[in-house]
Amino acid sequence: MVKKRTCIFISGYGTNLKYLINNSRNQNFPIRISLVISNNKRAKGILYAKKNSIPYLVINTNKRNFENLILKELKKYKISLICLAGYMKIISKKFLNAYGKKIINIHPSLLPKFKGLNTFKRILKNKEKKTGCTVHFVNEKLDGGAKIIQKSFFINKNDNEETLKNKTQKLEHRAFSEAIVKIFRYN
Ligand code: GAR
């Protein structure tokens, strides 16, 4: 199997990146992580790239042409899949069109519920019975593309933002890899 060369975009802790790196070591897993891009030079996730000798780049998104710089690197590393793993920047329509290949994102809610930020606070405020995570294709609408996989759990009355986050992330760590296997099952 020829593994798809993949770039993971991060902004923070990178725990999803860590699980993707581990799973990509399996020879039957459809991707190899060829590049990590962070928009935050202090992102802890960069350490996982360093530890595993994966090339990484810190991109200054305040620069006017930062998307062109990213596109150039994606081309250089022959990237055919982008995974947004806690990347807290919106991907522009221009970038989507220029890249033209698959981009997937993980979001900590059962989309289409609770798009955007501060999901756990809003989930609790809304007294939801269930929550979870979604992996979906990225389109020009925020958290709006087609769903690939969702995993859920029941919220109990003792849950708070912290426990919801922990439970959601535990599911995310499996969901992201399962979604990747699913999208490459037939090619
Ligand atoms: C994840 O929970 C992911 O769902 C969320 O950021 C976290 C990153 O964690 N993404 C978003 O909220 C995107 N809207 P990680 O850096 O430990 O992988």
Side-chain angles (χ1 to χ4, degrees):
M1 185 189 51
V2 181
K3 287 179 174 250
K4 312 273 177 205
R5 296 176 61 84
T6 299
C7 178
I8 315 290
F9 283 33
I10 60 166
S11 299
Y13 284 97
T15 64
N16 279 288
L17 167 65
K18 177 179 152 195
Y19 279 81
L20 289 173
I21 292 172
N22 285 343
N23 289 336
S24 68
R25 290 208 183 94
N26 181 326
Q27 60 170 354
N28 295 319
F29 197 64
I31 66 161
R32 78 152 66 193
I33 298 168
S34 305
L35 182 63
V36 170
I37 288 183
S38 173
N39 66 321
N40 168 11
K41 65 172 189 267
R42 291 189 191 84
K44 292 224 166 66
I46 293 171
L47 286 177
Y48 296 119
K50 282 189 186 167
K51 258 198 216 158
N52 291 281
S53 311
I54 298 169
Y56 67 91
L57 292 165
V58 176
I59 296 279
N60 178 355
T61 51
N62 293 324
K63 275 196 180 163
R64 219 164 27 110
N65 64 342
F66 81 94
E67 287 192 329
N68 289 337
L69 295 175
I70 295 179
L71 286 165
K72 223 167 108 187
E73 296 295 333
L74 296 174
K75 209 167 188 175
K76 183 167 132 197
Y77 284 88
K78 301 188 171 65
I79 299 299
S80 56
L81 173 72
I82 295 175
C83 296
L84 307 181
Y87 183 65
M88 295 309 198
K89 281 295 273 193
I90 289 176
I91 301 286
S92 76
K93 197 173 171 180
K94 204 171 135 218
F95 182 92
L96 279 171
N97 289 336
Y99 178 60
K101 294 173 193 155
K102 288 186 179 75
I103 307 181
I104 65 176
N105 178 45
I106 192 152
H107 185 76
S109 77
L110 297 173
L111 291 174
K113 286 184 161 180
F114 306 103
K115 297 176 177 177
L117 297 176
N118 299 316
T119 45
F120 304 116
K121 189 182 237 162
R122 289 184 289 134
I123 287 163
L124 288 171
K125 198 170 166 212
N126 224 42
K127 301 199 185 317
E128 292 293 310
K129 288 197 172 65
K130 261 169 93 177
T131 188
C133 65
T134 308
V135 183
H136 64 95
F137 288 107
V138 173
N139 66 9
E140 67 283 358
K141 293 197 182 116
L142 175 71
D143 299 325
K147 265 181 264 177
I148 304 163
I149 226 172
Q150 250 176 357
K151 286 190 183 291
S152 64
F153 64 91
F154 284 100
I155 298 174
N156 66 46
K157 62 176 189 319
N158 301 321
D159 273 319
N160 53 42
E161 281 184 51
E162 184 75 18
T163 61
L164 284 190
K165 183 178 172 194
N166 291 339
K167 291 178 188 180
T168 303
Q169 288 211 325
K170 227 172 169 173
L171 291 183
E172 287 187 340
H173 297 152
R174 288 195 285 122
F176 221 151
S177 292
E178 285 179 29
I180 290 169
V181 168
K182 193 171 169 191
I183 61 179
F184 292 119
R185 195 179 292 162
Y186 302 112
N187 53 12

